[in-house]
Amino acid sequence: MRNEMSFSFSSISENEAFARVAVASFITQLDPTMEELTEIKTVVSEAVTNAIIHGYGSEPHHKVYIDCVLYDGEIELTIRDKGQGILNVDEAREPLFTSKPEMERSGMGFTIIENFMDTVEVISAPEKGTSVYMKKQLSKSKTVYN
């Protein structure tokens, strides 16, 4: 059995904490370890922050979208925006690359996401937005979802 949730919220930085807590609350039914829960919360923070800052240029009148699917002890998480998109996804995934150096961004968002998730796919097109699709199999899931 699959369990799914989807939600959207305004593209303001204060909503990043809300997104972390919402996803963390939903996945607790899989009984993740504290380390796994922290990793998921971190990737949500990174992807949401990227959507707000890089996708929408911190303009608050847009939406960030999150879809989460739980299936057989695995988390499938998609965080997307309909913002400016990424011209070169491979370059954006390089450690220390940032499109906002004037904001003193570290350029480590995708690197962190890739280190904490089993699978990461970034799909983006200029002026159409970006979707970050991630999967993680939990180590000791006690779920009845099959």
Side-chain angles (χ1 to χ4, degrees), residues 8-136:
S8 63
F9 50 90
S10 296
S11 57
I12 58 174
S13 293
E14 291 82 1
N15 283 337
E16 175 267 329
F18 160 73
R20 286 170 53 104
V21 170
V23 172
S25 295
F26 185 67
I27 69 167
T28 57
Q29 60 196 286
L30 295 181
D31 194 27
T33 64
M34 285 305 294
E35 181 179 358
E36 290 168 333
L37 192 58
T38 299
E39 290 172 354
I40 297 295
K41 289 166 63 177
T42 300
V43 301
V44 169
S45 290
E46 293 295 336
V48 167
T49 298
N50 281 349
I52 292 169
I53 291 174
H54 300 286
Y56 293 130
S58 298
E59 294 176 357
H61 60 280
H62 300 285
K63 298 280 186 202
V64 176
Y65 305 87
I66 296 183
D67 301 301
C68 188
V69 177
L70 309 179
Y71 179 76
D72 197 24
E74 183 173 73
I75 298 162
E76 294 179 12
L77 183 62
T78 304
I79 299 177
R80 59 190 168 84
D81 64 68
K82 296 180 181 177
Q84 65 186 29
I86 301 170
L87 292 175
N88 184 333
V89 172
D90 291 335
E91 180 181 44
R93 291 176 78 158
E94 288 293 318
L96 305 178
F97 175 83
T98 181
S99 65
K100 301 280 186 189
E102 70 282 2
M103 294 180 70
E104 298 183 18
R105 307 303 303 171
S106 71
M108 294 300 289
F110 284 129
T111 302
I112 291 167
I113 291 169
E114 290 168 349
N115 282 326
F116 288 159
M117 301 301 283
D118 298 332
T119 304
V120 178
E121 183 177 359
V122 181
I123 300 168
S124 189
E127 304 308 317
K128 300 222 186 273
T130 301
S131 294
V132 181
Y133 174 74
M134 303 162 273
K135 282 185 173 182
K136 183 174 187 70

